[in-house]
Amino acid sequence: ITGSIQPDGSIGSVGSVEAKIKAARDHGASTFLIPHSVWESHRNYEKEYGIKVIPVSRVEEAIPYFFGDDILKYEEHSP
């Protein structure tokens, strides 16, 4: 994942996305999360580098990629 997390939970823009995608792929990652704000200019990297590139706008959208969908079910049942 790359991007800054803002106090309101939104994912801010970031630079050097291509280099970060290549590094993630080179280290065995199959999925890479990027800020939605830079998605249009980097969507071709999915085919070019053979790694799934997923745009996210909020930290809540990214959490399941780290902890699975079960984390969201837990939050729904938390007091």
Side-chain angles (χ1 to χ4, degrees):
I1 186 168
T2 190
S4 57
I5 300 173
Q6 305 304 314
D8 68 354
S10 63
I11 305 295
S13 194
V14 69
S16 303
V17 174
E18 181 177 11
K20 292 172 184 175
I21 290 172
K22 287 165 52 175
R25 182 219 42 209
D26 291 348
H27 285 88
S30 59
T31 304
F32 192 80
L33 307 180
I34 66 171
H36 198 277
S37 61
V38 299
W39 167 243
E40 284 301 320
S41 57
H42 296 89
R43 64 186 315 159
N44 63 315
Y45 293 149
E46 189 166 82
K47 288 182 182 178
E48 186 173 339
Y49 297 115
I51 185 171
K52 188 168 182 79
V53 179
I54 300 172
V56 292
S57 298
R58 301 198 46 80
V59 71
E60 296 89 349
E61 295 171 23
I63 289 173
Y65 291 97
F66 293 98
F67 301 105
D69 290 333
D70 290 341
I71 193 75
L72 297 178
K73 293 175 188 165
Y74 172 79
E75 289 177 353
E76 290 172 2
H77 295 93
S78 296

